Amino acid sequence: SDLGVVAKKQKDGQRRVFVSRLQSGGPVADAMVSVLARNGARVLAVQTGADGAALLPSLDEYRRERDPVLLLV
């Protein structure tokens, strides 16, 4: 894959995810960023904007089998 992904957790618990092309370094618009839980279910999904960034809400409310374990792009 030619995609690079960086995820940063902010102080308020939100996560900002940046998706870019490795070869050019340019942002990837409209990439689907999914959060998968321990049980394999998709907890939520958001798309990146024109700047290649997506903002995920705090995931602190998910527990047990819905505990987030993976970001999938």
Side-chain angles (χ1 to χ4, degrees):
S1 161
D2 182 41
L3 298 180
V5 179
V6 175
K8 296 182 177 185
K9 185 174 181 181
Q10 300 179 154
K11 288 185 178 184
D12 62 3
Q14 295 183 28
R15 286 173 174 78
R16 190 165 299 274
V17 181
F18 301 91
V19 182
S20 60
R21 299 224 175 267
L22 293 176
Q23 190 164 359
S24 67
V28 178
D30 300 322
M32 183 62 65
V33 179
S34 299
V35 179
L36 300 183
R38 185 174 306 282
N39 64 2
R42 185 185 316 200
V43 175
L44 61 90
V46 296
Q47 280 188 306
T48 59
D51 61 353
L55 184 62
L56 298 171
S58 174
L59 303 171
D60 293 339
E61 67 185 65
Y62 299 104
R63 301 274 188 251
R64 302 182 106 136
E65 70 276 354
R66 291 181 54 104
D67 186 34
V69 295
L70 178 71
L71 290 176
L72 177 67
V73 177

